[in-house]
Amino acid sequence: MTTLGREVKRNLKTRWKKIGVLVLIISLLGSIIAFPPQAKADDGLSLFYTVTIEKDKPTFQIKIAIENLPKGNFKFGLSNGLAICNPSYITNVKSNKGVVRYTKANLWEINVQEKGNVTIDYDVSKIIPNKNSISSSKIPCVVYIDNNGGEFLGQCVFLIPLSSSSYTVTNIRVKFNFPDEWQIVCPYIENKNYYEVPQITKNLLFDFVERTIYFGKMEFYSENKSENCKIEFGFLTENQSFQEREFVKEQEDLDSYTKMIAKALDKITKIFGNNPYPVITIVSPLQRNNYVYGQPSIFGSVQHWPPGRYDE
């Protein structure tokens, strides 16, 4: 090959690396066009979730506090999480307003006698397999948590008012109670002691549950900015994924990736306009013992694609 030919090949390879990252960002921002942001109403339900994870327990706990819930039958469930997980992994559902009835698959109901504040408590299994995935060597999960951390998909753990309900949800906040040494990579907006779910599409509940949250003892963690958008990337100490271990060896690997994503976002927003995501997380496969978190949804996130695999 001539010197000119080798130079052309190098330039093409460099351009394809940049294009690969831009394609990831374009797919992420595609929902901006399909689901434009919608202004919040002054009335409607306000939901406050408290997620408590303790070590050496098979389940973790979630409490929902609902302000000024109107009188009537309040129905709630797992959104479309039923398609990939079994609701039997959610147990001990109870409320301060009396008996909670499990009426059928993925449907709970409370008879609220008068308007007021309602709380719902329940337990969630720390390991929930993805019932639609098949793996010969590892068990694909939509929830995996152990004493060092883990990941979960929101639609498989957060009970929400069903779409058939007449209630409108206008505000969702989440508080996480974790062991002190854990960090969190979360796609919601961080406040002093809780996170607020940002409105991205017309459906705030969709923006809430179609997210992956991961947490635990981090070996590396990196942040960057693209205008008003924060980019987060954390690498769990317990991650045994060979693919990730091969390409994530030091802090600089995460820093360079978040910097690259920030530059790509800057370019894409010049084409599509303002980026509605206040936080974008970079997700990576989690493998631990015989389990692997399969990442069934990356709405509001960017899949980690190591530089060593750009040619694919």
PDB file of all heavy atoms in Angstrom, residues 74-89:
ATOM      1  N   PHE A  74     -57.911   2.790  43.831  1.00  0.00           N
ATOM      2  CA  PHE A  74     -56.609   3.178  43.269  1.00  0.00           C
ATOM      3  C   PHE A  74     -55.902   1.912  42.805  1.00  0.00           C
ATOM      4  O   PHE A  74     -55.603   1.013  43.587  1.00  0.00           O
ATOM      5  CB  PHE A  74     -55.779   3.903  44.323  1.00  0.00           C
ATOM      6  CG  PHE A  74     -54.413   4.312  43.845  1.00  0.00           C
ATOM      7  CD1 PHE A  74     -54.273   5.266  42.855  1.00  0.00           C
ATOM      8  CD2 PHE A  74     -53.268   3.738  44.393  1.00  0.00           C
ATOM      9  CE1 PHE A  74     -53.015   5.651  42.404  1.00  0.00           C
ATOM     10  CE2 PHE A  74     -52.011   4.121  43.959  1.00  0.00           C
ATOM     11  CZ  PHE A  74     -51.888   5.072  42.957  1.00  0.00           C
ATOM     12  N   LYS A  75     -55.631   1.832  41.490  1.00  0.00           N
ATOM     13  CA  LYS A  75     -55.002   0.657  40.895  1.00  0.00           C
ATOM     14  C   LYS A  75     -53.562   0.987  40.493  1.00  0.00           C
ATOM     15  O   LYS A  75     -53.299   2.055  39.943  1.00  0.00           O
ATOM     16  CB  LYS A  75     -55.795   0.191  39.682  1.00  0.00           C
ATOM     17  CG  LYS A  75     -57.229  -0.202  40.001  1.00  0.00           C
ATOM     18  CD  LYS A  75     -57.989  -0.587  38.749  1.00  0.00           C
ATOM     19  CE  LYS A  75     -59.433  -0.940  39.082  1.00  0.00           C
ATOM     20  NZ  LYS A  75     -60.202  -1.330  37.871  1.00  0.00           N
ATOM     21  N   PHE A  76     -52.690   0.052  40.766  1.00  0.00           N
ATOM     22  CA  PHE A  76     -51.284   0.276  40.427  1.00  0.00           C
ATOM     23  C   PHE A  76     -50.619  -1.052  40.080  1.00  0.00           C
ATOM     24  O   PHE A  76     -51.094  -2.131  40.453  1.00  0.00           O
ATOM     25  CB  PHE A  76     -50.561   0.979  41.580  1.00  0.00           C
ATOM     26  CG  PHE A  76     -50.669   0.274  42.909  1.00  0.00           C
ATOM     27  CD1 PHE A  76     -49.635  -0.539  43.372  1.00  0.00           C
ATOM     28  CD2 PHE A  76     -51.798   0.427  43.717  1.00  0.00           C
ATOM     29  CE1 PHE A  76     -49.735  -1.187  44.588  1.00  0.00           C
ATOM     30  CE2 PHE A  76     -51.901  -0.215  44.943  1.00  0.00           C
ATOM     31  CZ  PHE A  76     -50.867  -1.034  45.377  1.00  0.00           C
ATOM     32  N   GLY A  77     -49.500  -0.957  39.344  1.00  0.00           N
ATOM     33  CA  GLY A  77     -48.820  -2.170  38.904  1.00  0.00           C
ATOM     34  C   GLY A  77     -47.439  -1.874  38.355  1.00  0.00           C
ATOM     35  O   GLY A  77     -46.846  -0.831  38.628  1.00  0.00           O
ATOM     36  N   LEU A  78     -46.927  -2.797  37.535  1.00  0.00           N
ATOM     37  CA  LEU A  78     -45.539  -2.755  37.068  1.00  0.00           C
ATOM     38  C   LEU A  78     -45.356  -2.175  35.675  1.00  0.00           C
ATOM     39  O   LEU A  78     -44.396  -2.535  35.000  1.00  0.00           O
ATOM     40  CB  LEU A  78     -44.956  -4.170  37.087  1.00  0.00           C
ATOM     41  CG  LEU A  78     -44.334  -4.646  38.389  1.00  0.00           C
ATOM     42  CD1 LEU A  78     -43.849  -6.078  38.236  1.00  0.00           C
ATOM     43  CD2 LEU A  78     -43.200  -3.744  38.838  1.00  0.00           C
ATOM     44  N   SER A  79     -46.244  -1.308  35.212  1.00  0.00           N
ATOM     45  CA  SER A  79     -46.119  -0.768  33.863  1.00  0.00           C
ATOM     46  C   SER A  79     -46.033  -1.936  32.887  1.00  0.00           C
ATOM     47  O   SER A  79     -46.718  -2.938  33.039  1.00  0.00           O
ATOM     48  CB  SER A  79     -44.900   0.147  33.779  1.00  0.00           C
ATOM     49  OG  SER A  79     -44.754   0.693  32.488  1.00  0.00           O
ATOM     50  N   ASN A  80     -45.148  -1.869  31.885  1.00  0.00           N
ATOM     51  CA  ASN A  80     -44.981  -2.994  30.961  1.00  0.00           C
ATOM     52  C   ASN A  80     -43.833  -3.892  31.380  1.00  0.00           C
ATOM     53  O   ASN A  80     -43.336  -4.701  30.603  1.00  0.00           O
ATOM     54  CB  ASN A  80     -44.768  -2.500  29.532  1.00  0.00           C
ATOM     55  CG  ASN A  80     -43.514  -1.640  29.412  1.00  0.00           C
ATOM     56  OD1 ASN A  80     -42.940  -1.231  30.406  1.00  0.00           O
ATOM     57  ND2 ASN A  80     -43.098  -1.362  28.190  1.00  0.00           N
ATOM     58  N   GLY A  81     -43.391  -3.731  32.640  1.00  0.00           N
ATOM     59  CA  GLY A  81     -42.342  -4.605  33.138  1.00  0.00           C
ATOM     60  C   GLY A  81     -42.769  -6.060  33.173  1.00  0.00           C
ATOM     61  O   GLY A  81     -41.936  -6.969  33.205  1.00  0.00           O
ATOM     62  N   LEU A  82     -44.095  -6.294  33.149  1.00  0.00           N
ATOM     63  CA  LEU A  82     -44.611  -7.654  33.179  1.00  0.00           C
ATOM     64  C   LEU A  82     -44.132  -8.456  31.978  1.00  0.00           C
ATOM     65  O   LEU A  82     -44.048  -9.683  32.039  1.00  0.00           O
ATOM     66  CB  LEU A  82     -46.136  -7.621  33.203  1.00  0.00           C
ATOM     67  CG  LEU A  82     -46.874  -8.950  33.360  1.00  0.00           C
ATOM     68  CD1 LEU A  82     -46.514  -9.590  34.694  1.00  0.00           C
ATOM     69  CD2 LEU A  82     -48.370  -8.738  33.240  1.00  0.00           C
ATOM     70  N   ALA A  83     -43.784  -7.779  30.890  1.00  0.00           N
ATOM     71  CA  ALA A  83     -43.357  -8.476  29.684  1.00  0.00           C
ATOM     72  C   ALA A  83     -42.012  -9.164  29.857  1.00  0.00           C
ATOM     73  O   ALA A  83     -41.703 -10.112  29.141  1.00  0.00           O
ATOM     74  CB  ALA A  83     -43.297  -7.494  28.514  1.00  0.00           C
ATOM     75  N   ILE A  84     -41.204  -8.693  30.804  1.00  0.00           N
ATOM     76  CA  ILE A  84     -39.863  -9.257  30.952  1.00  0.00           C
ATOM     77  C   ILE A  84     -39.574  -9.794  32.347  1.00  0.00           C
ATOM     78  O   ILE A  84     -38.525 -10.389  32.573  1.00  0.00           O
ATOM     79  CB  ILE A  84     -38.782  -8.226  30.578  1.00  0.00           C
ATOM     80  CG1 ILE A  84     -38.932  -6.953  31.401  1.00  0.00           C
ATOM     81  CG2 ILE A  84     -38.809  -7.932  29.097  1.00  0.00           C
ATOM     82  CD1 ILE A  84     -37.853  -5.922  31.127  1.00  0.00           C
ATOM     83  N   CYS A  85     -40.508  -9.603  33.297  1.00  0.00           N
ATOM     84  CA  CYS A  85     -40.266 -10.128  34.634  1.00  0.00           C
ATOM     85  C   CYS A  85     -41.573 -10.601  35.257  1.00  0.00           C
ATOM     86  O   CYS A  85     -42.654 -10.185  34.854  1.00  0.00           O
ATOM     87  CB  CYS A  85     -39.586  -9.090  35.533  1.00  0.00           C
ATOM     88  SG  CYS A  85     -40.567  -7.620  35.853  1.00  0.00           S
ATOM     89  N   ASN A  86     -41.462 -11.466  36.233  1.00  0.00           N
ATOM     90  CA  ASN A  86     -42.621 -12.045  36.893  1.00  0.00           C
ATOM     91  C   ASN A  86     -42.985 -11.212  38.118  1.00  0.00           C
ATOM     92  O   ASN A  86     -42.127 -10.937  38.959  1.00  0.00           O
ATOM     93  CB  ASN A  86     -42.295 -13.480  37.303  1.00  0.00           C
ATOM     94  CG  ASN A  86     -43.529 -14.259  37.709  1.00  0.00           C
ATOM     95  OD1 ASN A  86     -44.383 -13.748  38.422  1.00  0.00           O
ATOM     96  ND2 ASN A  86     -43.620 -15.499  37.263  1.00  0.00           N
ATOM     97  N   PRO A  87     -44.252 -10.778  38.263  1.00  0.00           N
ATOM     98  CA  PRO A  87     -44.629  -9.943  39.414  1.00  0.00           C
ATOM     99  C   PRO A  87     -44.544 -10.670  40.753  1.00  0.00           C
ATOM    100  O   PRO A  87     -44.641 -10.030  41.800  1.00  0.00           O
ATOM    101  CB  PRO A  87     -46.074  -9.544  39.090  1.00  0.00           C
ATOM    102  CG  PRO A  87     -46.561 -10.582  38.148  1.00  0.00           C
ATOM    103  CD  PRO A  87     -45.370 -10.996  37.339  1.00  0.00           C
ATOM    104  N   SER A  88     -44.340 -11.988  40.734  1.00  0.00           N
ATOM    105  CA  SER A  88     -44.222 -12.731  41.997  1.00  0.00           C
ATOM    106  C   SER A  88     -42.968 -12.351  42.770  1.00  0.00           C
ATOM    107  O   SER A  88     -42.837 -12.678  43.952  1.00  0.00           O
ATOM    108  CB  SER A  88     -44.215 -14.238  41.722  1.00  0.00           C
ATOM    109  OG  SER A  88     -43.079 -14.621  40.967  1.00  0.00           O
ATOM    110  N   TYR A  89     -42.034 -11.642  42.119  1.00  0.00           N
ATOM    111  CA  TYR A  89     -40.824 -11.192  42.805  1.00  0.00           C
ATOM    112  C   TYR A  89     -41.084  -9.953  43.669  1.00  0.00           C
ATOM    113  O   TYR A  89     -40.193  -9.485  44.366  1.00  0.00           O
ATOM    114  CB  TYR A  89     -39.715 -10.898  41.795  1.00  0.00           C
ATOM    115  CG  TYR A  89     -39.138 -12.144  41.168  1.00  0.00           C
ATOM    116  CD1 TYR A  89     -39.565 -12.581  39.917  1.00  0.00           C
ATOM    117  CD2 TYR A  89     -38.183 -12.909  41.834  1.00  0.00           C
ATOM    118  CE1 TYR A  89     -39.052 -13.735  39.342  1.00  0.00           C
ATOM    119  CE2 TYR A  89     -37.657 -14.057  41.271  1.00  0.00           C
ATOM    120  CZ  TYR A  89     -38.098 -14.465  40.022  1.00  0.00           C
ATOM    121  OH  TYR A  89     -37.589 -15.615  39.461  1.00  0.00           O
TER     122      TYR A  89
END
